[in-house]
Structure formats: structure tokens, C-alpha cells
Amino acid sequence: MTTLTCVQAMTILQAPVVDTEQRVRAQSHVFSCIQCGAVSDGKLDSIKDAVNARRNGQLFIRITLAIFGLVQLSLALPWIIGADSWWGHHHGAAEAHLARDGAIALVFTTCAFLAARWRRLAWFCVAPTSLALIVQLAAGIYDDSEGHISFDFEIIHLIGVAVLILILLELRLQKSSPLL
């Protein structure tokens, strides 16, 4: 077994498909070679922990996003077909109004679930969640001005605001991370 050069080790580690033995040899080279930038075990563990924490996000926020996603889903499914949900403040809302609100709630639901499950998709979820929130706000103002529905019915849509805020909180920079 010959020793690897730094270039060979980096090439092996960047290859999409490589033999396991070669990958292990390349990793051990990179971890032990001073020219490759090997660091002490303590520093390496610190870097790995910081990367994992950044990748995994904050558990409380992710669980809360999933719960809000479930709440939104429980509202959206009946609304999509124009039926009342557990919210129960029908107040004469038309089926078209409920269907529109259900479609918007599905956007919030999808984004909440995606951001809760895969942190890397949270950035993607900011745009559709913001757009859905703007559409919901405009529709709520229109409905209130035309007398279609009372504004107190629209209060349930603050869950969408909470979803957007939680996604943005999940994305904020973690100042305690040594990598940032």
C-alpha cells in the first residue's frame, strides 16, 4: 500500500464514486497531513459539532414549525373543498373564500413541513411563504372592505405569520458558531 499525495487524497475525497478502502486512506491522510491542514482532534471535533449544529438547526423551532404545519393542514383540507374546519367561525364565508384560504394554507403547510424537516430548504420556503402571506393579507383586506367576511374570521391566518417568523428564526446566523 503506497502513501497518497495530498492531491491524490483530495481527488479521491471529491470523487462521487470511490472504493471504501481508498476513501478511508484519503481521509486518514487528510487528517494526519500537516500540508493538508490537519488540526488537533479537539479543534476537529469542535468544527464537526459546529457544522452539525448549523446543518440540523434548532430543534424547538423545527418542532414548532411541524406543529404549525399540522394545524394549517387541519384547516386547509376542509377549506379546500369549501367545508368548515375546527375553526368554526364560518360567519357566512363563501365556498370560494374557504377554498382560496385552503389553498393558501396548503402553501404555509408545505413550507412549514419542508423547513422543519430539511433545514437547507428553509431558504427556499421564505419566498412562497412571504408571497402567500401577502396574498392572504390582500384577500383579507378585500373581503373586509366588500363585507364578504368579518375581519375576526381572518385572525386564524396569523398562523401563517408565525410560520414565516419561525422559518426566518431558523435561518438566522448563529453567532456562537466558530464557522460563521
Side-chain angles (χ1 to χ4, degrees):
M1 185 181 324
T2 62
T3 59
L4 296 173
T5 66
C6 295
V7 173
Q8 289 172 329
M10 292 298 172
T11 304
I12 289 171
L13 290 175
Q14 292 174 357
V17 178
V18 69
D19 163 29
T20 305
E21 182 181 325
Q22 285 182 326
R23 184 169 301 278
V24 169
R25 284 181 53 221
Q27 285 173 338
S28 84
H29 171 84
V30 169
F31 287 140
S32 62
C33 176
I34 294 172
Q35 291 176 334
C36 287
V39 293
S40 67
D41 288 340
K43 183 68 174 172
L44 186 61
D45 289 340
S46 168
I47 292 171
K48 285 180 184 177
D49 291 343
V51 168
N52 285 334
R54 186 74 181 139
R55 184 185 73 223
N56 295 335
Q58 300 173 14
L59 184 62
F60 175 75
I61 291 176
R62 294 175 80 181
I63 289 172
T64 307
L65 270 170
I67 290 170
F68 281 164
L70 287 172
V71 170
Q72 283 287 80
L73 184 63
S74 72
L75 290 167
L77 291 179
W79 284 349
I80 280 286
I81 58 172
D84 251 345
S85 67
W86 57 265
W87 176 237
H89 289 82
H90 196 284
H91 297 297
E95 289 179 4
H97 173 99
L98 292 174
R100 180 197 66 218
D101 284 356
I104 294 169
L106 278 179
V107 173
F108 290 128
T109 298
T110 304
C111 290
F113 285 150
L114 287 174
R117 175 60 183 99
W118 294 288
R119 187 175 191 279
R120 65 175 186 240
L121 294 180
W123 277 112
F124 162 77
C125 293
V126 170
T129 304
S130 299
L131 182 62
L133 196 58
I134 291 168
V135 169
Q136 187 67 60
L137 181 63
I141 291 170
Y142 170 77
D143 287 341
D144 187 52
S145 68
E146 293 293 317
H148 294 157
I149 196 81
S150 62
F151 203 70
D152 65 335
F153 177 78
E154 302 293 332
I155 289 183
I156 192 68
H157 301 303
L158 289 177
I159 296 172
V161 174
V163 167
L164 179 60
I165 289 170
L166 286 170
I167 290 172
L168 292 172
L169 283 174
E170 177 65 13
L171 291 174
R172 78 175 195 269
L173 294 177
Q174 297 175 353
K175 293 183 181 15
S176 62
S177 173
L179 293 179
L180 298 177

